[in-house]
Amino acid sequence: MVTAEEFQKDMIGEIAYNSAVSTLKEVCDLLSERNPKFNWTGIYVVSGDYLILSAFHGEATEHTRIRIGEGLCSLAISEKRTVNEKDVKSNNEYLACFVSTNSEIVVPVKYGDLAVGEIDIDSDTRNAFDSDDEAFLEELSSSLAPLVKLIYDHYAQQA
Ligand code: SME
């Protein structure tokens, strides 16, 4: 039997999770709409050994769940650093999503020392991301950390 208190706690948790996801979706929309070179913008959140695509702007991708160990997305998490690949077609570790993509930047979202997720942006332009983009996205990633951590915790509870 679930108590009223437990029910409310679950309900509030669900509301907080849904708002975090929809806020991240708005962030993805804004980033792509304001930056013509950001052709696809997504936010992946760590869930155990996987990265789960929690929000995105652009075409749907088959890579909604990536095993940590595969692709540039995993590299940003395991090395806890920004991966800025100027020419994805020359990188063997790259996991292809869209034929039109030529460059990609992946910025980890860190909550303290814990990598909880990442911002992933694909561009059709080769060498699309410069050091200003890196600095801007790293700052944004710090601001998003509490929201991403909320989703990370939600996934952990579901497991
Ligand atoms: N290219 C990524 C996979 C995700 S898609 O870009 C949406 C990678 O190499 O991990």
PDB file of all heavy atoms in Angstrom, residues 40 44 51 53 61 63 66 70-75 88 93-98 101 104 106 118 120-122, ligand 1:
ATOM      1  N   TRP A  40      22.355  19.726 -35.638  1.00  0.00           N
ATOM      2  CA  TRP A  40      21.657  18.782 -34.752  1.00  0.00           C
ATOM      3  C   TRP A  40      22.220  19.002 -33.357  1.00  0.00           C
ATOM      4  O   TRP A  40      23.446  19.022 -33.173  1.00  0.00           O
ATOM      5  CB  TRP A  40      21.883  17.340 -35.213  1.00  0.00           C
ATOM      6  CG  TRP A  40      21.090  16.321 -34.444  1.00  0.00           C
ATOM      7  CD1 TRP A  40      19.851  15.834 -34.747  1.00  0.00           C
ATOM      8  CD2 TRP A  40      21.482  15.649 -33.223  1.00  0.00           C
ATOM      9  NE1 TRP A  40      19.444  14.916 -33.805  1.00  0.00           N
ATOM     10  CE2 TRP A  40      20.427  14.783 -32.856  1.00  0.00           C
ATOM     11  CE3 TRP A  40      22.618  15.715 -32.405  1.00  0.00           C
ATOM     12  CZ2 TRP A  40      20.473  13.977 -31.724  1.00  0.00           C
ATOM     13  CZ3 TRP A  40      22.671  14.909 -31.260  1.00  0.00           C
ATOM     14  CH2 TRP A  40      21.598  14.047 -30.944  1.00  0.00           C
ATOM     15  N   TYR A  44      22.600  13.980 -24.053  1.00  0.00           N
ATOM     16  CA  TYR A  44      22.585  12.589 -23.580  1.00  0.00           C
ATOM     17  C   TYR A  44      22.819  12.596 -22.078  1.00  0.00           C
ATOM     18  O   TYR A  44      23.594  13.417 -21.561  1.00  0.00           O
ATOM     19  CB  TYR A  44      23.708  11.785 -24.233  1.00  0.00           C
ATOM     20  CG  TYR A  44      23.458  11.392 -25.683  1.00  0.00           C
ATOM     21  CD1 TYR A  44      23.881  12.196 -26.731  1.00  0.00           C
ATOM     22  CD2 TYR A  44      22.830  10.191 -26.003  1.00  0.00           C
ATOM     23  CE1 TYR A  44      23.668  11.832 -28.061  1.00  0.00           C
ATOM     24  CE2 TYR A  44      22.612   9.816 -27.320  1.00  0.00           C
ATOM     25  CZ  TYR A  44      23.033  10.636 -28.340  1.00  0.00           C
ATOM     26  OH  TYR A  44      22.824  10.261 -29.656  1.00  0.00           O
ATOM     27  N   LEU A  51      24.442   5.813 -22.529  1.00  0.00           N
ATOM     28  CA  LEU A  51      24.075   7.222 -22.676  1.00  0.00           C
ATOM     29  C   LEU A  51      22.688   7.239 -23.298  1.00  0.00           C
ATOM     30  O   LEU A  51      22.468   6.602 -24.333  1.00  0.00           O
ATOM     31  CB  LEU A  51      25.051   7.908 -23.640  1.00  0.00           C
ATOM     32  CG  LEU A  51      26.410   8.266 -23.064  1.00  0.00           C
ATOM     33  CD1 LEU A  51      27.420   8.503 -24.180  1.00  0.00           C
ATOM     34  CD2 LEU A  51      26.280   9.515 -22.203  1.00  0.00           C
ATOM     35  N   LEU A  53      19.617   9.389 -24.979  1.00  0.00           N
ATOM     36  CA  LEU A  53      19.271  10.667 -25.604  1.00  0.00           C
ATOM     37  C   LEU A  53      18.012  11.196 -24.925  1.00  0.00           C
ATOM     38  O   LEU A  53      16.919  10.659 -25.092  1.00  0.00           O
ATOM     39  CB  LEU A  53      19.044  10.464 -27.112  1.00  0.00           C
ATOM     40  CG  LEU A  53      18.726  11.734 -27.896  1.00  0.00           C
ATOM     41  CD1 LEU A  53      19.856  12.760 -27.786  1.00  0.00           C
ATOM     42  CD2 LEU A  53      18.472  11.402 -29.372  1.00  0.00           C
ATOM     43  N   THR A  61      17.401  10.277 -34.596  1.00  0.00           N
ATOM     44  CA  THR A  61      18.563   9.421 -34.818  1.00  0.00           C
ATOM     45  C   THR A  61      18.282   8.026 -34.259  1.00  0.00           C
ATOM     46  O   THR A  61      17.514   7.885 -33.299  1.00  0.00           O
ATOM     47  CB  THR A  61      19.819   9.993 -34.122  1.00  0.00           C
ATOM     48  OG1 THR A  61      20.845   8.997 -34.136  1.00  0.00           O
ATOM     49  CG2 THR A  61      19.574  10.414 -32.690  1.00  0.00           C
ATOM     50  N   HIS A  63      20.568   6.503 -32.783  1.00  0.00           N
ATOM     51  CA  HIS A  63      21.436   6.415 -31.608  1.00  0.00           C
ATOM     52  C   HIS A  63      20.807   7.084 -30.397  1.00  0.00           C
ATOM     53  O   HIS A  63      21.294   8.095 -29.896  1.00  0.00           O
ATOM     54  CB  HIS A  63      22.812   7.019 -31.915  1.00  0.00           C
ATOM     55  CG  HIS A  63      23.563   6.251 -32.932  1.00  0.00           C
ATOM     56  ND1 HIS A  63      24.118   6.823 -34.056  1.00  0.00           N
ATOM     57  CD2 HIS A  63      23.823   4.926 -33.022  1.00  0.00           C
ATOM     58  CE1 HIS A  63      24.689   5.887 -34.781  1.00  0.00           C
ATOM     59  NE2 HIS A  63      24.525   4.724 -34.189  1.00  0.00           N
ATOM     60  N   ILE A  66      23.409   4.775 -26.387  1.00  0.00           N
ATOM     61  CA  ILE A  66      24.780   4.439 -26.823  1.00  0.00           C
ATOM     62  C   ILE A  66      25.504   3.764 -25.667  1.00  0.00           C
ATOM     63  O   ILE A  66      25.505   4.291 -24.536  1.00  0.00           O
ATOM     64  CB  ILE A  66      25.546   5.725 -27.244  1.00  0.00           C
ATOM     65  CG1 ILE A  66      24.850   6.406 -28.438  1.00  0.00           C
ATOM     66  CG2 ILE A  66      27.005   5.410 -27.567  1.00  0.00           C
ATOM     67  CD1 ILE A  66      25.440   7.759 -28.821  1.00  0.00           C
ATOM     68  N   GLU A  70      31.479   3.344 -26.923  1.00  0.00           N
ATOM     69  CA  GLU A  70      31.325   3.530 -28.371  1.00  0.00           C
ATOM     70  C   GLU A  70      31.205   5.003 -28.729  1.00  0.00           C
ATOM     71  O   GLU A  70      30.460   5.740 -28.077  1.00  0.00           O
ATOM     72  CB  GLU A  70      30.044   2.833 -28.869  1.00  0.00           C
ATOM     73  CG  GLU A  70      30.106   1.337 -28.792  1.00  0.00           C
ATOM     74  CD  GLU A  70      28.745   0.686 -29.063  1.00  0.00           C
ATOM     75  OE1 GLU A  70      27.745   1.411 -29.232  1.00  0.00           O
ATOM     76  OE2 GLU A  70      28.709  -0.555 -29.102  1.00  0.00           O
ATOM     77  N   GLY A  71      31.915   5.408 -29.766  1.00  0.00           N
ATOM     78  CA  GLY A  71      31.724   6.736 -30.344  1.00  0.00           C
ATOM     79  C   GLY A  71      32.393   7.874 -29.599  1.00  0.00           C
ATOM     80  O   GLY A  71      32.948   7.703 -28.506  1.00  0.00           O
ATOM     81  N   LEU A  72      32.313   9.045 -30.222  1.00  0.00           N
ATOM     82  CA  LEU A  72      32.909  10.257 -29.641  1.00  0.00           C
ATOM     83  C   LEU A  72      32.150  10.660 -28.382  1.00  0.00           C
ATOM     84  O   LEU A  72      32.715  11.256 -27.461  1.00  0.00           O
ATOM     85  CB  LEU A  72      32.855  11.400 -30.662  1.00  0.00           C
ATOM     86  CG  LEU A  72      33.551  11.124 -31.998  1.00  0.00           C
ATOM     87  CD1 LEU A  72      33.421  12.326 -32.923  1.00  0.00           C
ATOM     88  CD2 LEU A  72      35.025  10.783 -31.799  1.00  0.00           C
ATOM     89  N   CYS A  73      30.858  10.333 -28.348  1.00  0.00           N
ATOM     90  CA  CYS A  73      30.029  10.657 -27.182  1.00  0.00           C
ATOM     91  C   CYS A  73      30.593   9.987 -25.928  1.00  0.00           C
ATOM     92  O   CYS A  73      30.613  10.593 -24.852  1.00  0.00           O
ATOM     93  CB  CYS A  73      28.593  10.191 -27.417  1.00  0.00           C
ATOM     94  SG  CYS A  73      27.700  11.280 -28.514  1.00  0.00           S
ATOM     95  N   SER A  74      31.032   8.755 -26.084  1.00  0.00           N
ATOM     96  CA  SER A  74      31.572   8.027 -24.930  1.00  0.00           C
ATOM     97  C   SER A  74      32.914   8.596 -24.492  1.00  0.00           C
ATOM     98  O   SER A  74      33.206   8.671 -23.292  1.00  0.00           O
ATOM     99  CB  SER A  74      31.776   6.555 -25.292  1.00  0.00           C
ATOM    100  OG  SER A  74      30.532   5.985 -25.560  1.00  0.00           O
ATOM    101  N   LEU A  75      33.694   9.015 -25.485  1.00  0.00           N
ATOM    102  CA  LEU A  75      35.020   9.566 -25.194  1.00  0.00           C
ATOM    103  C   LEU A  75      34.914  10.794 -24.276  1.00  0.00           C
ATOM    104  O   LEU A  75      35.676  10.933 -23.315  1.00  0.00           O
ATOM    105  CB  LEU A  75      35.654   9.964 -26.538  1.00  0.00           C
ATOM    106  CG  LEU A  75      37.163  10.052 -26.611  1.00  0.00           C
ATOM    107  CD1 LEU A  75      37.783   8.700 -26.279  1.00  0.00           C
ATOM    108  CD2 LEU A  75      37.578  10.499 -28.019  1.00  0.00           C
ATOM    109  N   VAL A  88      34.733  14.532 -38.918  1.00  0.00           N
ATOM    110  CA  VAL A  88      34.292  13.234 -38.365  1.00  0.00           C
ATOM    111  C   VAL A  88      34.615  12.067 -39.295  1.00  0.00           C
ATOM    112  O   VAL A  88      34.865  10.953 -38.841  1.00  0.00           O
ATOM    113  CB  VAL A  88      32.775  13.223 -38.045  1.00  0.00           C
ATOM    114  CG1 VAL A  88      32.452  14.137 -36.901  1.00  0.00           C
ATOM    115  CG2 VAL A  88      31.920  13.534 -39.256  1.00  0.00           C
ATOM    116  N   GLU A  93      36.742   6.457 -34.570  1.00  0.00           N
ATOM    117  CA  GLU A  93      35.904   6.266 -33.372  1.00  0.00           C
ATOM    118  C   GLU A  93      34.510   6.852 -33.545  1.00  0.00           C
ATOM    119  O   GLU A  93      33.611   6.593 -32.747  1.00  0.00           O
ATOM    120  CB  GLU A  93      36.579   6.918 -32.166  1.00  0.00           C
ATOM    121  CG  GLU A  93      37.867   6.205 -31.804  1.00  0.00           C
ATOM    122  CD  GLU A  93      38.319   6.576 -30.420  1.00  0.00           C
ATOM    123  OE1 GLU A  93      37.585   6.274 -29.475  1.00  0.00           O
ATOM    124  OE2 GLU A  93      39.402   7.161 -30.303  1.00  0.00           O
ATOM    125  N   TYR A  94      34.355   7.671 -34.570  1.00  0.00           N
ATOM    126  CA  TYR A  94      33.071   8.364 -34.806  1.00  0.00           C
ATOM    127  C   TYR A  94      31.964   7.361 -35.126  1.00  0.00           C
ATOM    128  O   TYR A  94      32.136   6.455 -35.928  1.00  0.00           O
ATOM    129  CB  TYR A  94      33.256   9.355 -35.966  1.00  0.00           C
ATOM    130  CG  TYR A  94      31.984   9.962 -36.481  1.00  0.00           C
ATOM    131  CD1 TYR A  94      31.234  10.840 -35.709  1.00  0.00           C
ATOM    132  CD2 TYR A  94      31.514   9.659 -37.766  1.00  0.00           C
ATOM    133  CE1 TYR A  94      30.061  11.395 -36.194  1.00  0.00           C
ATOM    134  CE2 TYR A  94      30.345  10.217 -38.261  1.00  0.00           C
ATOM    135  CZ  TYR A  94      29.624  11.080 -37.465  1.00  0.00           C
ATOM    136  OH  TYR A  94      28.462  11.641 -37.938  1.00  0.00           O
ATOM    137  N   LEU A  95      30.836   7.566 -34.479  1.00  0.00           N
ATOM    138  CA  LEU A  95      29.644   6.742 -34.694  1.00  0.00           C
ATOM    139  C   LEU A  95      28.705   7.566 -35.576  1.00  0.00           C
ATOM    140  O   LEU A  95      28.175   8.581 -35.122  1.00  0.00           O
ATOM    141  CB  LEU A  95      29.009   6.507 -33.322  1.00  0.00           C
ATOM    142  CG  LEU A  95      28.114   5.307 -33.064  1.00  0.00           C
ATOM    143  CD1 LEU A  95      28.841   4.015 -33.336  1.00  0.00           C
ATOM    144  CD2 LEU A  95      27.658   5.366 -31.602  1.00  0.00           C
ATOM    145  N   ALA A  96      28.525   7.159 -36.824  1.00  0.00           N
ATOM    146  CA  ALA A  96      27.780   7.999 -37.778  1.00  0.00           C
ATOM    147  C   ALA A  96      26.288   8.017 -37.490  1.00  0.00           C
ATOM    148  O   ALA A  96      25.671   6.975 -37.262  1.00  0.00           O
ATOM    149  CB  ALA A  96      28.030   7.506 -39.191  1.00  0.00           C
ATOM    150  N   CYS A  97      25.720   9.228 -37.480  1.00  0.00           N
ATOM    151  CA  CYS A  97      24.274   9.391 -37.304  1.00  0.00           C
ATOM    152  C   CYS A  97      23.646   9.859 -38.604  1.00  0.00           C
ATOM    153  O   CYS A  97      22.662   9.300 -39.052  1.00  0.00           O
ATOM    154  CB  CYS A  97      23.991  10.430 -36.232  1.00  0.00           C
ATOM    155  SG  CYS A  97      24.047   9.764 -34.588  1.00  0.00           S
ATOM    156  N   PHE A  98      24.218  10.934 -39.173  1.00  0.00           N
ATOM    157  CA  PHE A  98      23.634  11.542 -40.378  1.00  0.00           C
ATOM    158  C   PHE A  98      24.719  11.661 -41.448  1.00  0.00           C
ATOM    159  O   PHE A  98      25.835  12.081 -41.132  1.00  0.00           O
ATOM    160  CB  PHE A  98      23.081  12.939 -40.050  1.00  0.00           C
ATOM    161  CG  PHE A  98      22.289  12.985 -38.775  1.00  0.00           C
ATOM    162  CD1 PHE A  98      22.788  13.627 -37.653  1.00  0.00           C
ATOM    163  CD2 PHE A  98      21.053  12.349 -38.688  1.00  0.00           C
ATOM    164  CE1 PHE A  98      22.077  13.653 -36.459  1.00  0.00           C
ATOM    165  CE2 PHE A  98      20.331  12.357 -37.505  1.00  0.00           C
ATOM    166  CZ  PHE A  98      20.847  13.010 -36.396  1.00  0.00           C
ATOM    167  N   THR A 101      26.632  15.053 -41.755  1.00  0.00           N
ATOM    168  CA  THR A 101      27.510  15.597 -40.707  1.00  0.00           C
ATOM    169  C   THR A 101      28.982  15.579 -41.118  1.00  0.00           C
ATOM    170  O   THR A 101      29.475  14.576 -41.624  1.00  0.00           O
ATOM    171  CB  THR A 101      27.344  14.788 -39.390  1.00  0.00           C
ATOM    172  OG1 THR A 101      25.979  14.858 -38.992  1.00  0.00           O
ATOM    173  CG2 THR A 101      28.225  15.320 -38.275  1.00  0.00           C
ATOM    174  N   GLU A 104      31.757  17.575 -35.303  1.00  0.00           N
ATOM    175  CA  GLU A 104      30.941  17.311 -34.102  1.00  0.00           C
ATOM    176  C   GLU A 104      31.680  17.798 -32.860  1.00  0.00           C
ATOM    177  O   GLU A 104      32.904  17.659 -32.775  1.00  0.00           O
ATOM    178  CB  GLU A 104      30.695  15.797 -33.993  1.00  0.00           C
ATOM    179  CG  GLU A 104      29.925  15.386 -32.738  1.00  0.00           C
ATOM    180  CD  GLU A 104      29.422  13.938 -32.790  1.00  0.00           C
ATOM    181  OE1 GLU A 104      29.885  13.171 -33.651  1.00  0.00           O
ATOM    182  OE2 GLU A 104      28.576  13.595 -31.943  1.00  0.00           O
ATOM    183  N   VAL A 106      31.392  17.469 -28.580  1.00  0.00           N
ATOM    184  CA  VAL A 106      30.720  16.826 -27.446  1.00  0.00           C
ATOM    185  C   VAL A 106      31.328  17.400 -26.161  1.00  0.00           C
ATOM    186  O   VAL A 106      32.545  17.329 -25.958  1.00  0.00           O
ATOM    187  CB  VAL A 106      30.884  15.289 -27.461  1.00  0.00           C
ATOM    188  CG1 VAL A 106      29.937  14.664 -26.441  1.00  0.00           C
ATOM    189  CG2 VAL A 106      30.654  14.699 -28.835  1.00  0.00           C
ATOM    190  N   GLU A 118      25.989  14.919 -21.357  1.00  0.00           N
ATOM    191  CA  GLU A 118      26.769  15.721 -22.304  1.00  0.00           C
ATOM    192  C   GLU A 118      25.875  16.453 -23.295  1.00  0.00           C
ATOM    193  O   GLU A 118      24.739  16.053 -23.548  1.00  0.00           O
ATOM    194  CB  GLU A 118      27.712  14.804 -23.087  1.00  0.00           C
ATOM    195  CG  GLU A 118      26.970  13.803 -23.946  1.00  0.00           C
ATOM    196  CD  GLU A 118      27.863  12.699 -24.471  1.00  0.00           C
ATOM    197  OE1 GLU A 118      28.950  12.458 -23.920  1.00  0.00           O
ATOM    198  OE2 GLU A 118      27.460  12.070 -25.458  1.00  0.00           O
ATOM    199  N   ASP A 120      25.773  17.353 -27.189  1.00  0.00           N
ATOM    200  CA  ASP A 120      26.368  16.818 -28.418  1.00  0.00           C
ATOM    201  C   ASP A 120      25.823  17.612 -29.603  1.00  0.00           C
ATOM    202  O   ASP A 120      24.603  17.694 -29.775  1.00  0.00           O
ATOM    203  CB  ASP A 120      25.975  15.331 -28.536  1.00  0.00           C
ATOM    204  CG  ASP A 120      26.459  14.711 -29.839  1.00  0.00           C
ATOM    205  OD1 ASP A 120      27.425  15.235 -30.435  1.00  0.00           O
ATOM    206  OD2 ASP A 120      25.870  13.689 -30.258  1.00  0.00           O
ATOM    207  N   ILE A 121      26.716  18.212 -30.374  1.00  0.00           N
ATOM    208  CA  ILE A 121      26.261  19.000 -31.533  1.00  0.00           C
ATOM    209  C   ILE A 121      26.948  18.521 -32.811  1.00  0.00           C
ATOM    210  O   ILE A 121      28.169  18.346 -32.840  1.00  0.00           O
ATOM    211  CB  ILE A 121      26.514  20.508 -31.314  1.00  0.00           C
ATOM    212  CG1 ILE A 121      25.840  20.952 -30.004  1.00  0.00           C
ATOM    213  CG2 ILE A 121      25.985  21.326 -32.498  1.00  0.00           C
ATOM    214  CD1 ILE A 121      26.084  22.382 -29.624  1.00  0.00           C
ATOM    215  N   ASP A 122      26.116  18.270 -33.833  1.00  0.00           N
ATOM    216  CA  ASP A 122      26.626  17.852 -35.146  1.00  0.00           C
ATOM    217  C   ASP A 122      26.475  19.020 -36.112  1.00  0.00           C
ATOM    218  O   ASP A 122      25.457  19.720 -36.085  1.00  0.00           O
ATOM    219  CB  ASP A 122      25.782  16.704 -35.717  1.00  0.00           C
ATOM    220  CG  ASP A 122      26.063  15.372 -35.033  1.00  0.00           C
ATOM    221  OD1 ASP A 122      26.690  15.386 -33.952  1.00  0.00           O
ATOM    222  OD2 ASP A 122      25.634  14.339 -35.574  1.00  0.00           O
TER     223      ASP A 122
HETATM  224  N1  SME B   1      28.318  10.778 -33.500  1.00  0.00           N
HETATM  225  C1  SME B   1      28.142  10.365 -32.144  1.00  0.00           C
HETATM  226  C2  SME B   1      26.870   9.566 -31.986  1.00  0.00           C
HETATM  227  C3  SME B   1      25.659  10.408 -31.698  1.00  0.00           C
HETATM  228  S1  SME B   1      25.048  11.222 -33.070  1.00  0.00           S
HETATM  229  O1  SME B   1      26.011  12.263 -33.458  1.00  0.00           O
HETATM  230  C4  SME B   1      23.603  11.926 -32.779  1.00  0.00           C
HETATM  231  C5  SME B   1      29.357   9.564 -31.662  1.00  0.00           C
HETATM  232  O2  SME B   1      30.325   9.414 -32.403  1.00  0.00           O
HETATM  233  O3  SME B   1      29.342   9.120 -30.519  1.00  0.00           O
END
